[in-house]
């Protein structure tokens, strides 16, 4: 195999990075001019239409984990690994009816924490906040790491510099415009991502012989072609449930449900899922050609950018750089905005200073965005583990929230005790599985325990919840 070197020079990488940084900051300021109130800053005025709603959901879900982790799955787990990541689309599909229900029950809501507090009470709310904030921060760290890895792989930009720049850029334009800036830039980013993925996929198919790829894999890594490879099959179900848990609980998706106009949310999430579904399959397929093309992959989570840039050359590397930058930025800005909203609305406003006025809330939100970004930068700096190991650690925590949230939105009988123990026991057993069996089982086990516990309590200690209690504007 040949030694794999950077396709772009560091100088070219810095120039592209600087141009992208200036462009996104400008766009953030441009769209952020509309954010003149708290509703504008946090929820884009609650007036997001179908095109922007679909684009922001799709772009946010096309993360580094789609463009970098999907190829890693294919490289390590084969055909099923490539398909496994695409099952995360079901998170968007299944959240679509929830988005409609959320808008009906909570027209004046702000965060996913608002629902948990009003539906299940403070004890469950505290547990949920720990899970949600921890997950949001873990996802943010994985994005920051991916930014540094990407820029180093493509152009030799040192990991700390690349990681620092992308975090800084996203912090700056999120500060200027909140969710208005996030959704506006997501719209442009989604278009860039779709066009880029189509160009990359077509170029890969044109450049390789599929029969030769199959023959090489069969000789060098026959396990990757096995349909019944246990680890791969577990990864499919684990990732499906992890994707559902990520979407169901995260304020990233709830904030968009609140921000979209009435009757838009369900359509937007369904369309976003349809657009997103083929992306990880296309990205994962690239990894399976590495042996045929004789490319050395120094780290599994670098296979995506290295393969694409090798096939397409220097011009292709520029496209890859831009597409991956957009996929990272569209997630980092969403996480910064949604996590800060959760902290400000649920902790500062509800626990610390209920009488806080709009001007003060806006200022605190900006401080929190900066604080989250700086803390993520500090954790990213030493580059701990691979993207999969960092992200899937939070898997059992988020999957423990799936059934309490879904059941709490549609079943009056869902109980507070059931939700509490479902989250606690689901998280605990899933983490035990993570360390004793493997990351590809943790989410599956955590979700299974949570479902059983929630259902048992709904039968044993059923409640008759009054849906009107979810609309605080009328209380």
């Amino acid at each position: 195999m040949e030694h794999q070197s950077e396709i772009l020079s560091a100088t070219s990488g810095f120039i592209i990075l600087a141009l992208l940084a200036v462009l996104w900051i400008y766009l953030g300021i441009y769209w952020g001019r509309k954010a003149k109130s708290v509703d504008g800053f946090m929820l884009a005025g609650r007036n997001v239409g179908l095109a922007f709603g679909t684009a922001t959901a799709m772009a946010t879900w096309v993360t580094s984990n789609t463009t970098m982790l999907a190829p890693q799955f294919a490289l390590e787990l084969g055909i099923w690994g490539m398909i496994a990541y695409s099952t995360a689309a079901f998170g968007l599909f299944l959240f679509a009816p929830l988005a409609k229900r959320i808008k009906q029950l909570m027209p004046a809501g702000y965060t996913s924490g608002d629902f948990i507090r009003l539906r299940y009470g403070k004890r469950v709310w505290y547990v949920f906040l720990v899970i949600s904030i921890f997950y949001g921060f873990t996802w943010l760290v994985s994005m920051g790491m991916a930014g540094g890895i990407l820029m180093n792989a493509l152009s030799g930009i040192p990991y700390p510099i690349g990681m620092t720049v992308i975090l800084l850029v996203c912090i700056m334009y999120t500060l200027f415009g909140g969710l208005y800036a996030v959704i506006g830039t997501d719209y442009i980013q989604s278009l860039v991502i779709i066009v880029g993925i189509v160009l990359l996929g077509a170029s890969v198919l044109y450049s390789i012989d599929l029969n030769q790829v199959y023959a090489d894999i069969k000789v060098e890594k026959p396990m990757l072609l096995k349909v019944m490879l246990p680890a791969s099959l577990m990864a499919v179900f684990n990732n499906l449930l992890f994707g559902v848990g990520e979407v169901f609980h995260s304020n990233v998706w709830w904030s968009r449900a609140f921000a979209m106009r009435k009757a838009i949310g369900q359509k937007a999430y369904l369309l976003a899922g349809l657009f997103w579904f083929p992306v990880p399959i296309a990205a994962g397929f690239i990894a399976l050609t590495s042996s045929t093309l004789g490319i050395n992959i120094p780290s599994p989570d670098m296979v995506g950018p290295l393969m694409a840039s090798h096939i397409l050359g220097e011009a292709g590397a520029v496209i890859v750089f831009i597409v991956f930058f957009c996929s990272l930025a569209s997630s980092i800005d969403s996480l910064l905005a949604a996590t800060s909203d959760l902290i400000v609305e649920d902790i500062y406003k509800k626990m610390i200073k209920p009488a806080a006025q709009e001007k003060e809330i806006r200022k605190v939100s900006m401080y929190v965005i900066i604080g989250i970004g700086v803390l993520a930068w500090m954790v990213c700096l030493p580059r701990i583990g691979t993207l999969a190991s960092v992200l899937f650690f939070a898997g059992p925590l988020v999957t423990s929230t799936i059934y309490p949230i879904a059941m709490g939105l549609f079943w009056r009988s869902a109980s507070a005790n059931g939700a509490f123990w479902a989250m606690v026991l689901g998280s605990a057993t899933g983490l035990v599985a993570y360390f004793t069996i493997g990351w590809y089982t943790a989410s599956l086990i955590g979700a299974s325990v949570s479902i059983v516990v929630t259902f048992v309590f709904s039968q044993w200690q059923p409640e008759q919840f009054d849906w009107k209690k979810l609309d605080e504007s009328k209380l």
Side-chain angles (χ1 to χ4, degrees):
M1 286 189 176
E2 67 183 28
H3 175 69
Q4 179 67 43
S5 59
E6 297 83 13
I7 304 299
L8 294 173
S9 67
T11 301
S12 298
F14 278 118
I15 291 173
I16 298 171
L17 186 59
L19 292 174
L20 290 171
V22 171
L23 175 61
W24 296 133
I25 291 172
Y26 168 77
L27 290 174
I29 295 173
Y30 175 78
W31 273 300
R33 292 180 301 175
K34 298 180 180 180
K36 297 178 181 179
S37 65
V38 169
D39 264 16
F41 189 80
M42 289 186 173
L43 299 174
R46 302 182 189 267
N47 195 38
V48 176
L50 183 60
F52 276 86
T54 302
T56 187
M58 186 266 185
T60 300
W61 211 215
V62 179
T63 66
S64 66
N65 306 317
T66 309
T67 52
M68 296 175 75
L69 196 53
Q72 180 182 338
F73 270 33
L75 192 68
E76 296 177 340
L77 299 173
I79 300 297
W80 277 116
M82 182 176 69
I83 296 173
Y85 206 90
S86 68
T87 61
F90 286 92
L92 298 177
F93 291 145
L94 295 175
F95 191 72
L98 269 66
K100 180 179 179 180
R101 180 71 168 168
I102 289 165
K103 194 70 173 179
Q104 289 174 343
L105 296 177
M106 305 179 65
Y110 278 94
T111 69
S112 54
D114 284 341
F115 166 74
I116 296 295
R117 173 176 53 84
L118 295 169
R119 181 64 177 83
Y120 292 122
K122 290 187 176 181
R123 184 175 64 151
V124 182
W125 182 44
Y126 297 149
V127 174
F128 177 82
L129 287 178
V130 171
I131 290 174
S132 194
I133 293 173
F134 175 77
Y135 161 77
F137 185 74
T138 302
W139 189 6
L140 182 60
V141 168
S142 75
M143 295 298 101
M145 286 174 53
I149 293 169
L150 161 70
M151 294 170 201
N152 180 256
L154 289 180
S155 65
I157 295 175
Y159 168 83
I161 295 177
M163 179 270 296
T164 301
V165 170
I166 194 164
L167 283 175
L168 182 61
V169 169
C170 292
I171 289 170
M172 289 181 67
Y173 73 74
T174 305
L175 278 176
F176 286 120
L179 197 61
Y180 267 123
V182 170
I183 290 178
T185 53
D186 279 356
Y187 183 76
I188 303 297
Q189 289 158 357
S190 67
L191 296 177
V192 173
I193 290 167
I194 291 173
V195 172
I197 291 293
V198 169
L199 289 175
L200 292 175
S203 299
V204 170
L205 288 175
Y206 179 78
S207 303
I208 61 173
D209 181 351
L210 293 179
N211 292 326
Q212 187 62 47
V213 172
Y214 175 80
D216 290 339
I217 295 174
K218 191 173 181 179
V219 172
E220 297 183 19
K221 299 177 181 179
M223 290 294 289
L224 298 183
L225 298 175
K226 285 196 173 184
V227 176
M228 298 305 292
L229 186 62
S232 299
L233 292 174
M234 292 293 287
V236 171
F237 293 102
N238 185 81
N239 201 71
L240 189 155
L241 288 168
F242 184 32
V244 174
E246 284 184 285
V247 176
F248 274 37
H249 92 284
S250 176
N251 195 51
V252 168
W253 310 104
W254 282 71
S255 64
R256 281 157 175 73
F258 291 129
M260 293 177 195
R261 294 198 295 265
K262 189 177 181 181
I264 292 296
Q266 184 169 2
K267 297 175 185 177
Y269 278 105
L270 284 174
L271 288 173
L274 288 172
F275 285 125
W276 186 90
F277 183 78
V279 174
I281 295 178
F285 174 74
I286 296 174
L288 298 179
T289 66
S290 59
S291 296
T292 300
L293 295 174
I295 300 174
N296 178 43
I297 306 298
S299 176
D301 53 13
M302 293 171 65
V303 62
L306 288 177
M307 287 293 299
S309 59
H310 176 88
I311 292 170
L312 297 173
E314 186 170 354
V318 173
I319 297 174
V320 172
F321 195 109
I322 295 171
V323 169
F324 280 28
F325 183 94
C326 290
S327 70
L328 288 162
S330 64
S331 298
I332 292 174
D333 57 16
S334 298
L335 285 164
L336 288 169
T339 306
S340 69
D341 289 352
L342 198 63
I343 293 172
V344 173
E345 181 69 20
D346 287 63
I347 296 178
Y348 183 78
K349 189 176 177 182
K350 293 294 190 302
M351 299 182 190
I352 299 174
K353 196 171 182 181
Q357 300 299 308
E358 283 202 3
K359 187 175 181 180
E360 181 181 351
I361 292 172
R362 176 74 176 265
K363 184 181 296 184
V364 172
S365 295
M366 297 176 73
Y367 290 148
V368 171
I369 289 170
I370 294 172
I372 294 171
V374 171
L375 187 59
W377 175 82
M378 293 172 64
V379 175
C380 288
L381 205 55
R383 189 181 169 181
I384 50 173
T386 64
L387 295 179
S389 63
V390 171
L391 188 65
F392 280 101
F393 180 77
L397 280 70
V398 300
T399 56
S400 73
T401 68
I402 295 174
Y403 210 56
I405 288 174
M407 193 172 180
L409 279 168
F410 292 98
W411 293 13
R412 295 180 186 274
S413 60
S415 69
N417 283 335
F420 176 80
W421 288 111
M423 292 182 192
V424 172
L425 295 178
S427 298
T429 54
L431 287 174
V432 169
Y434 179 92
F435 289 108
T436 59
I437 303 175
W439 64 263
Y440 49 85
T441 65
S443 297
L444 176 60
I445 291 175
S448 300
V449 171
S450 174
I451 288 172
V452 171
V453 171
T454 308
F455 180 76
V456 168
F457 271 90
S458 71
Q459 302 302 307
W460 177 38
Q461 296 179 350
E463 295 183 4
Q464 290 300 314
F465 185 75
D466 181 4
W467 300 119
K468 294 180 181 178
K469 293 181 179 179
L470 291 176
D471 187 358
E472 279 190 298
S473 65
K474 295 182 180 179
L475 293 179

